[in-house]
Amino acid sequence: NKKRKGYKLMENITQNQWEAYREVQDSGAYNMLSPQAVDMSGLDKDTYFTIIKNYSELAEKYEDSE
């Protein structure tokens, strides 16, 4: 298990969590690394930064499914 402290496994990120992140990103209102962006997403910090760390893989997984 390669799970690092403070990160969730990428496989556990749901489409709803991905969409919450993307809504904040698409708004263009926040630096995506700022605490305000994390707050606006409604995600916990671990989930949020797991999405950032695995952005390309998650984009491929969820953007293609729309």
Side-chain angles (χ1 to χ4, degrees), residues 20-21 23-24 27 29-30 34-43 48:
Y21 176 88
E23 282 180 25
V24 175
S27 78
Y30 301 95
S34 72
Q36 294 86 358
V38 178
D39 289 344
M40 290 305 298
S41 73
L43 301 170
Y48 188 90

Side-chain angles (χ1 to χ4, degrees), residues 4-27:
R4 294 188 4 211
K5 187 176 182 203
Y7 285 104
K8 294 187 174 186
L9 292 175
M10 181 192 79
E11 294 79 17
N12 294 336
I13 301 297
T14 67
Q15 184 157 0
N16 284 343
Q17 290 169 324
W18 169 255
E19 289 172 359
Y21 176 88
R22 291 287 286 129
E23 282 180 25
V24 175
Q25 187 179 45
D26 288 347
S27 78

